[in-house]
Amino acid sequence: MTRSRRLLVLVLAVLLLGAVAAVLVLRAAARAEQTQEGGPTVAGGEVALGRPDALAFLNGAQGPHRGALVSVPARTPQAERTASDLDCLRFHASAGTGVCLSSTPGALSQENRALIVDSGLRTLRSFPLAGTPSRARVSPSGHFAAWTVFVAGESYGAAFFSTRTSIVDTRTWALEPDLEKFAVQLDGKPYSAGDVNFWGVTFSKDDDTFYATLSTGGQTYLVKGSISRRSVVSLAQNVECPSLSPDETRVAYKKRVLRGASLWREHVLDLRTLREQPLAEKRSVDDQAVWLDDRTVAYALPTEGAVDTTDLWTVPADGTGAPRVLAPAASSPALLG
């Protein structure tokens, strides 16, 4: 085969591969635009974080608004969804401030960013993320936001993973880029180790206290931290992804129930007595729960028979009752107003 013929064959092969790739992309886009029959009804509109008696979450339903932040009336969470133009992988909001962890395709890799948005979803500040978005929280006052990303590994059940957790003051934009720089007291003693990881921040109302998960030496701990003192102290073991109750007396969290496996049971811990209460949800919950009120927690579980989709469920926080679907094809709930 002559050189010119080889070059022609190469050019034709490149064009053919490009055509096949274009067809696949167009088919995927077409599937994304199709609304699933019998699924939630979603329509574009205005979503405001200051709206009272509303529930916001990320829409997982098939269609043009998949991944968008949507809102519904809090009392009718399965009503038609109003979709914004804001797309996120993780979201949380409080007091008219939101944090959106987004991921967009780049020339060589995904571009991950934390967007701090106001009540009208306008971006106030954007921060680059060092890895894949995992957890997001806004303090009750809206004055602080926190996020966790995977720097290595893709889940908390992986044998090897590393996280990075940051906190930003939304008034001054002072950023704590890595909680691993905070002083640690473990079991009453100063502690330092190269394998320390933090994730799952949840804030108190005092604009200083927070709770989070600390992982080191193959163990996980609930820690109580101070932003101003840049320090944390351990409170209990085997606590992951804590969520502080509105009355600040308890944390909901996932507890690993089988060592070495990605199986968790949702619990509630009384912060005064450190007594734990397993909840009625017996499936494995890999999420940071959200309190809808002092009696009810919400969390995401994979949709049965679907891929890359979750449903929101609720369960009583005292261990009674039974799990109930809050909203299908949804994640990252935040009670507004």
Side-chain angles (χ1 to χ4, degrees), residues 187-202:
D187 297 330
K189 300 178 181 178
Y191 182 84
S192 178
D195 69 344
V196 166
N197 280 286
F198 288 94
W199 65 82
V201 168
T202 182

Side-chain angles (χ1 to χ4, degrees), residues 230-254:
R230 303 182 76 251
S231 63
V232 302
V233 297
S234 65
L235 299 179
Q237 283 194 28
N238 200 4
V239 173
E240 298 186 52
C241 299
S243 180
L244 187 62
S245 62
D247 64 10
E248 303 197 352
T249 64
R250 295 154 292 159
V251 292
Y253 66 99
K254 62 178 194 177

Side-chain angles (χ1 to χ4, degrees), residues 127-258:
F127 299 90
L129 299 179
T132 305
S134 174
R135 304 293 183 221
R137 265 306 191 266
V138 177
S139 66
S141 65
H143 293 161
F144 289 92
W147 55 84
T148 298
V149 301
F150 287 114
V151 180
E154 296 182 351
S155 77
Y156 297 104
F160 302 100
F161 69 89
S162 178
T163 61
R164 185 169 301 170
T165 296
S166 307
I167 296 178
V168 66
D169 187 325
T170 62
R171 299 161 297 181
T172 65
W173 303 118
L175 176 68
E176 289 286 357
D178 191 353
L179 288 193
E180 292 175 24
K181 306 300 182 184
F182 278 33
V184 176
Q185 272 208 344
L186 192 64
D187 297 330
K189 300 178 181 178
Y191 182 84
S192 178
D195 69 344
V196 166
N197 280 286
F198 288 94
W199 65 82
V201 168
T202 182
F203 293 99
S204 173
K205 299 173 185 176
D206 65 7
D207 278 346
D208 185 59
T209 304
F210 66 91
Y211 297 85
T213 296
L214 163 67
S215 172
T216 185
Q219 299 287 342
T220 57
Y221 301 85
L222 173 68
V223 294
K224 181 179 182 180
S226 167
I227 299 172
S228 62
R229 292 193 294 272
R230 303 182 76 251
S231 63
V232 302
V233 297
S234 65
L235 299 179
Q237 283 194 28
N238 200 4
V239 173
E240 298 186 52
C241 299
S243 180
L244 187 62
S245 62
D247 64 10
E248 303 197 352
T249 64
R250 295 154 292 159
V251 292
Y253 66 99
K254 62 178 194 177
K255 177 180 180 179
R256 195 178 294 269
V257 293
L258 185 60

Side-chain angles (χ1 to χ4, degrees), residues 257-295:
V257 293
L258 185 60
R259 187 170 179 82
S262 302
L263 294 174
W264 294 275
R265 176 86 181 267
E266 200 67 21
H267 284 65
V268 166
L269 180 74
D270 188 312
L271 291 172
R272 295 163 296 191
T273 64
L274 296 185
R275 292 179 180 174
E276 61 181 21
Q277 173 65 57
L279 302 188
E281 177 57 82
K282 296 182 180 180
R283 291 168 292 183
S284 182
V285 177
D286 183 10
D287 193 21
Q288 185 174 16
V290 168
W291 292 77
L292 299 180
D293 52 45
D294 279 321
R295 302 175 303 278

Side-chain angles (χ1 to χ4, degrees), residues 32 42 57-70 81 83-91 100-103 308 329-332:
V42 190
F57 51 81
L58 299 180
N59 175 52
Q62 195 72 26
H65 301 293
R66 182 176 171 86
L69 179 68
V70 300
R81 301 173 179 182
S84 70
D85 293 328
L86 184 66
D87 289 351
C88 313
L89 290 181
R90 295 288 186 272
F91 178 82
C100 166
L101 305 189
S102 68
S103 184
D308 294 331
S331 62
S332 293

